[in-house]
Amino acid sequence: DAGVIQSPRHEVTEMGQEVTLRCKPISGHNSLFWYRQTMMRGLELLIYFNNNVPIDDSGMPEDRFSAKMPNASFSTLKIQPSEPRDSAVYFCASTPGYEQYFGPGTRLTVT
Amino acid sequence: GEDVEQSLFLSVREGDSSVINCTYTDSSSTYLYWYKQEPGAGLQLLTYIFSNMDMKQDQRLTVLLNKKDKHLSLRIADTQTGDSAIYFCAESRGGYNKLIFGAGTRLAVHP
């Protein structure tokens, strides 16, 4: 298996633009998590899904952030409009139960 | 408190053992994890321990769990330069195994 796939790996955008991050979980995994990593705040859980249904989005920082999982093999995290403080590495992880496997991350820079 | 705590930095000589410590907060955590992150990469699951165990060994890695004190440690035997990375401990919370991460311990291995 290729592991968790994220795209793009790097994204540079201007403040105010819409950003969409993509994730393909490992086939057969029924839960998917989105995290954000920054130097100041470390790793933060943003939202997670189980069987494509959002379970807890209490970590989503603002209404500018939204996430969807239209099917078992695809999820998106959207930021609209983006701000410089959204600059971070965004990770997606999937799990069949209790072992979470992380993707390589998307490094987002908002100027 | 709500935080998983780790010391921020550890320096060891190549060939020595490394011990990375962590304290967690939720006594009902079912699983506790150690992840490794190399520069520019995602988090790699190293090992995990079920809460009813007090020790788990996997090749050069030994995990010790003191549930009474909510203390977790990771010992790396015969530390190599390739072990230089940031090590995160995490506790699971809730039925969907949401992970709460510590701030990470940067391990530096020198000759």
Side-chain angles (χ1 to χ4, degrees):
Chain A
D1 200 309
V4 176
I5 299 172
Q6 292 188 247
S7 64
R9 291 294 312 276
H10 301 273
E11 176 80 36
V12 180
T13 191
E14 292 183 347
M15 182 173 65
Q17 297 298 305
E18 177 181 298
V19 175
T20 300
L21 312 181
R22 297 172 176 81
C23 175
K24 177 177 166 51
I26 294 172
S27 176
H29 286 194
N30 60 354
S31 292
L32 183 142
F33 300 76
W34 281 100
Y35 294 88
R36 176 171 70 174
Q37 186 178 37
T38 61
M39 289 291 292
M40 291 298 295
R41 300 176 68 91
L43 270 161
E44 302 173 276
L45 175 63
L46 301 177
I47 184 171
Y48 61 99
F49 298 82
N50 182 256
N51 292 326
N52 313 337
V53 175
I55 302 299
D56 183 351
D57 65 355
S58 60
M60 296 284 260
E62 298 170 36
D63 291 345
R64 299 184 295 106
F65 287 68
S66 62
K68 294 182 180 179
M69 192 164 186
N71 57 61
S73 59
F74 184 65
S75 177
T76 59
L77 178 69
K78 185 179 291 188
I79 308 172
Q80 165 64 17
S82 58
E83 296 183 3
R85 60 195 166 116
D86 302 330
S87 296
V89 181
Y90 291 81
F91 289 105
C92 171
S94 70
T95 177
Y98 51 86
E99 297 179 11
Q100 275 192 34
Y101 296 93
F102 279 69
T106 295
R107 182 173 294 275
L108 174 65
T109 303
V110 183
T111 60
Chain B
E2 292 289 320
D3 294 340
V4 175
E5 295 186 350
Q6 303 178 236
S7 52
L8 293 183
F9 188 75
L10 177 66
S11 177
V12 299
R13 190 182 302 276
E14 192 174 10
D16 287 352
S17 292
S18 308
V19 179
I20 303 172
N21 294 301
C22 168
T23 55
Y24 61 97
T25 57
D26 189 349
S27 58
S28 65
S29 290
T30 308
Y31 291 95
L32 296 131
Y33 301 82
W34 285 103
Y35 281 84
K36 175 183 180 183
Q37 186 178 33
E38 297 184 71
L43 276 74
Q44 173 194 352
L45 177 61
L46 279 180
T47 188
Y48 60 92
I49 187 166
F50 190 49
S51 59
N52 69 353
M53 300 169 64
D54 52 20
M55 187 181 91
K56 180 179 179 181
Q57 187 153 2
D58 183 359
Q59 298 183 330
R60 293 190 297 120
L61 305 179
T62 303
V63 178
L64 295 179
L65 175 60
N66 180 328
K67 203 172 177 183
K68 173 177 168 290
D69 294 337
K70 300 193 191 74
H71 183 265
L72 183 73
S73 68
L74 173 71
R75 178 177 180 269
I76 305 172
D78 187 24
T79 313
Q80 302 298 306
T81 54
D83 295 323
S84 295
I86 301 176
Y87 291 80
F88 292 92
C89 99
E91 62 173 342
S92 64
R93 291 190 190 167
Y96 294 98
N97 228 35
K98 177 172 83 169
L99 296 188
I100 306 299
F101 285 86
T105 299
R106 182 178 296 275
L107 174 65
V109 183
H110 57 87

